[in-house]
Amino acid sequence: MSDNSYRYAPETAVVRAFVDPELATQAISPSMVMSVNHCFDPQQGAFSAQGLEDLSEAPYLYAGWSNPTVDQLEQRLAHLEGAEACLATATGMAAISGLFLSLLKHGDHLIISDVCYAGVYEFATQVLPDYGVEVTAVDTSDITQVLNALQKNTKLVHIETPSNPLLTLTDIRSLANGLKTSGTLLSVDATFSTPVITKPLSFGADIVVHSLTKFINGHGDVLGGAILGSRSLLNQIRSRAGVYLGATLSAQSAWLIMRGMETLYPRMKTLCSSAHEIANWLEKQPRVLRVLYPGLASHHQFALAQQQMALFGGIIAFQVDDIDLIQQRFAQESHVFYYAFSIGHQRSLAVAMKTDELDQSTYHFTAEKRAAFRSFAGDGVIRLSIGLEATEDLLRELEHLLR
């Protein structure tokens, strides 16, 4: 890659950075290196990474350690996010578990959001305590609650912004500033926002996590995850999660993710515009009780969204007067929205997320937290992941389903 590419606009850099024609063939599309094994010179001490400042500089030996195609993805993601280094993983949960198990040990304390992706919450609250890690879940949209929960042994605060599924925000800059004196690290799951909308490192976060399965790949056909941050932190995480936890991303998956991420900016601009129009329309519908979308003036953190988000995202959550009926209609009558979990695909998805079911399966709310959740979600929300279909087709379908 030429030095000029570092001065490209993000829309250009995501397509051009770290992509050069192949020397032997002058092919423009990146090649896929499928080999599991690589020859090496034993005189160069390839069996040991001791002395390397960055483990990604170690010679290629075995694909479980590193792979040229995966390395290229990591370089491109780091450039896109404004990070020094990146570790790509087999799934988004592999990124989360690799992060937690690399940075936390017996006797440490973790703070997480009390409303976040179910797999993250369950891993943190049900698995980590078995290894002696203390976990506290708080409303991270309230910085005071986070700071009040700090302990001498708090090593990491992990947040989602926007959160899943309530689309609440955390003021990243304020929280990062509040954590400075404690020495506590701040990691941000920015899967919902992507680097197009928010770059957490620029607001003071130490670590960014993505499920590459979602918007960054954008086509619903491959799993992947990523952890990004400083070289020193990523070297620590890579030496554990990248070697011992078996979270290796395959070359095929890395190649597919790179192909998908090249259209990230136009995809996000299109679906965010559509989502904004749909969210405004939903607020006017008689069966809709409340719309949760950061781009609406009715969102209680709209001012923060304007400061922290370049766009307002492709995810909408909304309450309805009869969630069972509307869930049934989405599942049985929809032709444009697929009734399915996950987000960030080129096709629009919808799923009902019922409060009682989330409580019983994942969150196990206290009475106070159940009341706080219900104040946003009521009996539950319909979560929409807006795709690339024409907005008028999505609105026509919603009008039918919400009749």
Side-chain angles (χ1 to χ4, degrees):
M1 182 188 64
S2 66
D3 291 338
N4 287 338
S5 63
Y6 284 99
R7 295 190 288 271
Y8 288 150
E11 293 87 341
T12 305
V14 74
V15 176
R16 295 298 302 274
F18 294 95
V19 179
D20 289 317
E22 189 179 69
L23 290 177
T25 66
Q26 290 298 297
I28 295 174
S29 179
S31 297
M32 186 190 307
V33 178
M34 291 292 296
S35 181
V36 171
N37 308 99
H38 298 263
C39 293
F40 64 94
D41 182 352
Q43 301 302 316
Q44 294 180 352
F47 284 116
S48 174
Q50 293 179 0
L52 287 174
E53 294 183 2
D54 183 354
L55 292 181
S56 65
E57 297 174 355
Y60 295 120
L61 291 175
Y62 182 67
W65 172 267
S66 62
N67 169 274
T69 307
V70 177
D71 282 356
Q72 187 177 26
L73 171 63
E74 291 174 348
Q75 290 174 326
R76 296 178 74 179
L77 286 169
H79 185 75
L80 181 61
E81 192 65 72
E84 290 181 356
C86 170
L87 172 65
T89 60
T91 66
M93 273 307 302
I96 291 291
S97 58
L99 172 69
F100 289 173
L101 293 175
S102 296
L103 298 184
L104 301 169
K105 64 182 184 304
H106 186 280
D108 287 342
H109 178 231
L110 166 70
I111 298 174
I112 63 166
S113 172
D114 60 358
V115 176
C116 60
Y117 176 61
V120 175
Y121 190 91
E122 291 165 7
F123 181 77
T125 60
Q126 299 177 27
V127 177
L128 287 182
D130 291 343
Y131 295 89
V133 176
E134 184 182 354
V135 180
T136 301
V138 303
D139 177 2
T140 61
S141 68
D142 183 346
I143 305 300
T144 301
Q145 285 194 37
V146 181
L147 298 181
N148 287 342
L150 286 174
Q151 302 173 179
K152 290 183 179 180
N153 60 335
T154 305
K155 293 298 189 295
L156 180 68
V157 174
H158 179 75
I159 65 172
E160 286 182 0
T161 185
S163 69
N164 184 14
L166 297 185
L167 298 170
T168 54
L169 308 178
T170 298
D171 187 332
I172 301 171
R173 192 184 304 280
S174 293
L175 181 54
N177 289 338
L179 294 176
K180 279 182 180 177
T181 56
S182 70
T184 302
L185 295 173
L186 173 62
S187 65
V188 180
D189 187 326
T191 297
F192 271 33
S193 59
T194 80
V196 176
I197 295 174
T198 303
K199 295 184 178 181
L201 298 179
S202 70
F203 289 93
D206 300 289
I207 299 162
V208 183
V209 179
H210 289 289
S211 172
L212 302 178
T213 311
K214 311 305 193 299
F215 290 106
I216 289 180
N217 172 59
H219 292 80
D221 54 9
V222 64
L223 297 169
I227 311 168
L228 302 103
S230 68
R231 290 191 185 280
S232 59
L233 271 175
L234 265 294
N235 200 38
Q236 180 181 348
I237 296 167
R238 187 183 295 274
S239 68
R240 294 196 175 194
V243 179
Y244 303 121
L245 298 183
T248 307
L249 183 69
S250 72
Q252 301 100 314
S253 295
W255 191 92
L256 282 169
I257 292 166
M258 282 194 285
R259 184 176 66 170
M261 68 184 281
E262 291 188 350
T263 61
L264 178 62
Y265 274 83
R267 282 190 289 106
M268 291 302 295
K269 290 176 181 178
T270 296
L271 63 87
C272 287
S273 175
S274 186
H276 205 164
E277 184 175 343
I278 290 168
N280 277 291
W281 180 88
L282 284 169
E283 282 202 308
K284 303 177 180 68
Q285 304 313 303
R287 302 208 75 148
V288 175
L289 306 179
R290 183 176 188 178
V291 181
L292 304 174
Y293 184 73
L296 295 177
S298 59
H299 192 283
H300 69 296
Q301 294 174 296
F302 180 56
L304 175 60
Q306 291 176 302
Q307 298 169 15
Q308 191 168 278
M309 304 175 76
L311 301 167
F312 298 115
I315 308 299
I316 306 167
F318 62 98
Q319 290 184 42
V320 291
D321 57 1
D322 188 339
I323 191 169
D324 292 325
L325 172 64
I326 302 304
Q327 176 189 33
Q328 183 180 12
R329 287 181 178 172
F330 268 98
Q332 297 180 0
E333 300 180 27
S334 178
H335 299 289
V336 185
F337 287 94
Y338 286 85
Y339 191 82
F341 284 108
S342 199
I343 61 165
H345 298 185
Q346 76 275 39
R347 301 179 181 91
S348 292
L349 307 174
V351 71
M353 308 191 78
K354 297 181 180 179
T355 299
D356 288 343
E357 291 177 359
L358 289 172
D359 186 5
Q360 293 166 14
S361 65
T362 299
Y363 296 120
H364 309 294
F365 291 126
T366 64
E368 181 181 0
K369 289 190 175 181
R370 187 182 300 110
F373 190 94
R374 281 190 175 278
S375 70
F376 285 96
D379 291 334
V381 295
I382 303 294
R383 188 187 69 188
L384 304 180
S385 175
I386 303 303
L388 300 178
E389 303 91 349
T391 308
E392 57 264 30
D393 289 329
L394 296 172
L395 289 172
R396 187 180 301 113
E397 175 123 306
L398 288 169
E399 186 174 22
H400 169 70
L401 298 173
L402 295 172
R403 66 188 187 279

